[in-house]
Amino acid sequence: MFGFVTVKDGQRIAVWDRKGKVEFVDGPRRMFIYDRTIQDMVHFSAGSEQYLAVEYQDGHCENIAGPAAVWYDPVHHKQIDVKQALAINSHEAVVVYKRTDETVARRVLSGPAVYVPCENEWLHKFSWHGADPKDPYRKIPRALNFSRLRTIPDQMYYDVSRVRTSDDALVEVKLMIFFELVEVEKMLDQTHDPIADFINAVSADVIDFVSGLSFEGFKQHIEQLNKLETFENLNYRAQRIGYKINKVVYRGYKANDKLQEMHNNAIETRTRLKLEAETESQAQELADLKLQREAQRDLQKQEMEQKSQQHKLKLEKLAHEETLRKLEAEQKCELAAKQNSNELELRYLQAANAEEVKHLQATNNEKVNYLKAIEGMQVDLTRYLVAQYQNPDKLIRIADDKSPQLHLHN
């Protein structure tokens, strides 16, 4: 190449001479080029949630966490890639392997964190049983592929199919299992697929439970499938691999078509009879209720009539008491009037008697004074009085043949 070349601000170029030596030129700059080759350099940058994976010509690699920027160096760099860092939430964890010389170490990194691998580290890839896309209640191998473990309580649906009862009835038991990862290291050491272990253990428990019961007995004791004590194998295996079973929920069962049809008919018949019994019971209860309400109404009427009669008697009693009170008041008034009249009459008589007594006393006094005056004149009062009262008002005679006679003149 021959001529002037302008390198802009923020750019970098590599200038190769005829001998293969390279010179890196950063802008802004203007230079004359003669018999040399120019190569534009690529600038790689990573944000805060990214990192740069730099592969060198000598084979080693280096991961540079962002924010960072690197110019591609054709002499030393083989390849540079901008990759996304792994964000780990607070309820997640990753398993990291690191090679040092001839040994490999393992560690568990729990969130929250942003993981940027070193050049000699890699993540554990999990491949577990998962839901079949065609049937979510059926589990198939290697359906779940991930690197981040969930450390919070989780759940899964599983249907234990083709379980035979003691009377050879085939049923499918539907369950929902709630579990929680509590020891990651123990899980890594004891199992490669915990979901498969859960499936095998719960299938063994269900088969053991159903096989000892008839179909009718299975329906009668079906509530036992909601208790953790029924699933001994599941609990034991979960503890061995670092998990905890929180709860198992029974979601129902499904029998074969003929048995299910017979069972549906029986359910329909029982439901119909139950509804008829409930209808009749409700009719009887309604009749009893009507009779009870009528009896209550009669009792209320009797109570009302009794209260009305008591009220009437009370009014009559009050009226009679009022009449007696009026009579008593009238009698008291008459008695008081009579007492007043008698008192007035008594006072009048007393006053009259007092006047008469005064008059008698005055008359007697005049007589006494008169007699005293006569006596002063040397008159014999006895003879005077006998002469004045010759004819007595009363004559009392005391007669006796042997004694002398006595005459008293009043």
Side-chain angles (χ1 to χ4, degrees):
M1 183 177 178
F2 177 80
F4 287 95
V5 175
T6 301
V7 182
K8 296 180 180 179
D9 191 8
Q11 290 184 341
R12 173 180 287 189
I13 62 173
V15 182
W16 301 85
D17 61 11
R18 295 177 61 185
K19 294 181 179 181
K21 292 183 180 182
V22 65
E23 177 187 2
F24 298 103
V25 179
D26 294 329
R29 184 176 176 183
R30 182 173 178 81
M31 57 185 301
F32 181 76
I33 300 298
Y34 174 74
D35 199 17
R36 286 185 291 181
T37 303
I38 296 176
Q39 180 182 356
D40 292 333
M41 303 297 293
V42 181
H43 186 259
F44 293 90
S45 61
S48 58
E49 296 183 356
Q50 297 174 322
Y51 68 95
L52 297 174
V54 183
E55 183 178 355
Y56 290 88
Q57 295 289 348
D58 59 1
H60 81 277
C61 298
E62 180 183 3
N63 294 335
I64 303 174
V70 173
W71 288 98
Y72 177 76
D73 187 347
V75 177
H76 300 95
H77 297 158
K78 181 178 180 180
Q79 185 178 350
I80 298 178
D81 294 321
V82 179
K83 295 185 178 181
Q84 193 73 23
L86 183 63
I88 307 171
N89 295 328
S90 58
H91 57 270
E92 294 178 336
V94 295
V95 180
V96 182
Y97 294 92
K98 184 175 182 180
R99 184 179 62 209
T100 304
D101 296 332
E102 299 298 328
T103 62
V104 177
R106 183 183 69 194
R107 65 185 176 94
V108 178
L109 177 61
S110 300
V114 177
Y115 172 69
V116 176
C118 297
E119 62 273 8
N120 55 348
E121 289 183 346
W122 68 94
L123 294 177
H124 184 93
K125 300 293 184 181
F126 297 95
S127 182
W128 293 353
H129 273 67
D132 187 353
K134 298 179 181 179
D135 185 4
Y137 302 113
R138 179 174 175 268
K139 307 299 180 183
I140 59 176
R142 295 178 295 278
L144 292 177
N145 297 285
F146 58 93
S147 298
R148 288 175 290 186
L149 285 169
R150 289 183 179 178
T151 56
I152 58 173
D154 206 347
Q155 69 278 338
M156 74 175 204
Y157 295 94
Y158 184 66
D159 298 344
V160 184
S161 59
R162 302 187 64 80
V163 183
R164 193 175 295 274
T165 62
S166 60
D167 53 355
D168 291 336
L170 287 176
V171 294
E172 180 179 296
V173 180
K174 301 179 179 182
L175 300 172
M176 187 175 184
I177 304 172
F178 294 82
F179 55 89
E180 182 180 359
L181 178 61
V182 293
E183 298 183 54
V184 179
E185 293 286 354
K186 194 173 184 179
M187 183 271 294
L188 295 172
D189 293 335
Q190 297 294 329
T191 182
H192 68 284
D193 190 347
I195 304 300
D197 293 347
F198 292 160
I199 291 172
N200 295 332
V202 77
S203 298
D205 288 327
V206 172
I207 292 172
D208 183 59
F209 174 76
V210 175
S211 61
L213 299 172
S214 63
F215 183 67
E216 291 297 327
F218 165 71
K219 291 189 296 180
Q220 293 176 0
H221 297 85
I222 208 165
E223 73 279 355
Q224 298 295 326
L225 292 175
N226 284 316
K227 299 180 180 179
L228 280 177
E229 295 80 4
T230 307
F231 302 92
E232 295 182 359
N233 294 318
L234 179 61
N235 286 315
Y236 174 75
R237 186 55 187 168
Q239 293 177 1
R240 285 291 304 273
I241 62 176
Y243 275 84
K244 176 185 177 183
I245 302 299
N246 295 325
K247 184 169 59 174
V248 178
V249 178
Y250 167 71
R251 299 186 299 108
Y253 75 93
K254 180 181 179 182
N256 59 55
D257 295 339
K258 292 184 178 179
L259 183 61
Q260 189 65 40
E261 183 178 359
M262 294 171 59
H263 183 55
N264 292 337
N265 293 333
I267 293 175
E268 183 179 355
T269 303
R270 286 198 301 270
T271 304
R272 179 172 52 80
L273 293 176
K274 184 177 180 181
L275 291 175
E276 291 178 356
E278 290 179 353
T279 303
E280 182 65 23
S281 176
Q282 290 178 358
Q284 295 295 332
E285 290 178 358
L286 182 59
D288 293 341
L289 181 61
K290 289 181 178 179
L291 184 61
Q292 183 181 2
R293 294 296 174 83
E294 290 177 358
Q296 290 178 355
R297 280 194 291 270
D298 292 339
L299 182 61
Q300 290 177 355
K301 288 180 179 179
Q302 293 176 2
E303 291 178 353
M304 293 176 64
E305 291 176 356
Q306 184 178 2
K307 290 181 179 179
S308 177
Q309 188 67 23
Q310 290 177 352
H311 182 66
K312 184 178 180 181
L313 292 175
K314 185 176 180 181
L315 293 177
E316 291 178 355
K317 181 180 178 181
L318 292 174
H320 182 65
E321 290 178 352
E322 182 66 19
T323 303
L324 291 178
R325 188 184 63 78
K326 289 181 179 179
L327 291 175
E328 185 178 1
E330 290 177 357
Q331 290 177 357
K332 286 182 179 180
C333 290
E334 291 179 358
L335 182 60
K338 287 182 180 180
Q339 288 179 352
N340 294 330
S341 176
N342 292 332
E343 289 178 356
L344 291 174
E345 185 177 358
L346 180 60
R347 290 195 191 104
Y348 175 77
L349 291 176
Q350 288 177 350
N353 291 332
E355 291 294 331
E356 185 178 356
V357 169
K358 288 180 180 181
H359 179 71
L360 290 176
Q361 287 180 352
T363 303
N364 291 331
N365 289 331
E366 288 179 357
K367 288 181 178 182
V368 169
N369 293 328
Y370 176 74
L371 291 175
K372 284 180 177 181
I374 293 175
E375 186 181 5
M377 290 185 294
Q378 302 296 319
V379 178
D380 188 356
L381 291 176
T382 303
R383 293 177 64 184
Y384 175 77
L385 292 173
V386 170
Q388 188 178 0
Y389 298 100
Q390 293 180 1
N391 296 319
D393 294 332
K394 291 182 181 180
L395 178 63
I396 298 173
R397 176 182 293 179
I398 300 173
D400 190 1
D401 294 339
K402 295 180 179 182
S403 58
Q405 295 183 351
L406 176 65
H407 294 275
L408 297 176
H409 297 275
N410 188 8

